[in-house]
Amino acid sequence: MQTIQIQAVKRDGFGKKATKAVRREGLVPCILYGGGENVTFAIDVKSVKPLIYTPNSYIVELNIDGKVEKAVMREVQYHPVREQILHIDFYRVQEGKPVAIQIPVRLTGNAEGVKIGGKLALSARKLTVSGMVENLPDYLTVDVTPLKVGQTIFVGDLSFEGLKFLTPATTAVCAVRVTRASRGAAQAE
């Protein structure tokens, strides 16, 4: 799994006034929790954009006033109108304990149903998995070659070594949809 480094500044103030003051300085208030004491800190808005506005998932190395902490991003809160980042929650990664993270799905192959006119549809762009940090892949590769028209791959059909899926097994990952062209090809046969 890829890592990204972010510089952070520890903050001591709590409450509305303190967080508004942090936001006025162009920083985003954050919290790091799990596996020890909670740490409140602030990071620059520009340094967090490569982490948020990307389809990839990262392990974050937070440098909080010289102390490096490994974490995963849990939740981002946005302003309802301006789309400004208001707050970010990070969860500490602990050695020897599994971590839950969303990993993007990448489809490979050319589906049989697409060859006769069906349309391949990706339903789940990211799946939530749990596993040790060293076993986490950058993306989950799903082979769609055997899919025929009307068939679907569900989370329950997938298996990756060292990973446990937290997304429900009945969630559709991708499917080959019926189109007019594929219906005409089926009637011709």
Side-chain angles (χ1 to χ4, degrees), residues 2 11 16-17 26 30 35 39 49 57 78 81 84 104 110 113 118 123 127 132 136 145 154 157 188:
Q2 298 173 342
R11 65 185 178 99
K16 276 187 184 180
K17 284 185 178 180
C30 303
V39 180
K49 284 188 178 184
S57 296
Y78 296 95
V81 178
Q84 173 189 4
N110 193 3
S123 302
L127 299 176
M132 303 305 281
L136 294 175
T145 307
F154 294 98
D157 302 333

Side-chain angles (χ1 to χ4, degrees), residues 57 100-105 122-130 140 142 154-156 158 160 164-168 171-173:
S57 296
I101 191 169
Q102 286 190 326
I103 297 180
V105 175
L122 177 63
S123 302
R125 294 187 185 279
K126 287 187 175 186
L127 299 176
T128 306
V129 298
S130 175
L140 300 170
V142 178
F154 294 98
V155 173
L158 302 176
F160 291 90
K164 177 186 170 193
F165 285 97
L166 301 179
T167 305
T171 304
V173 177

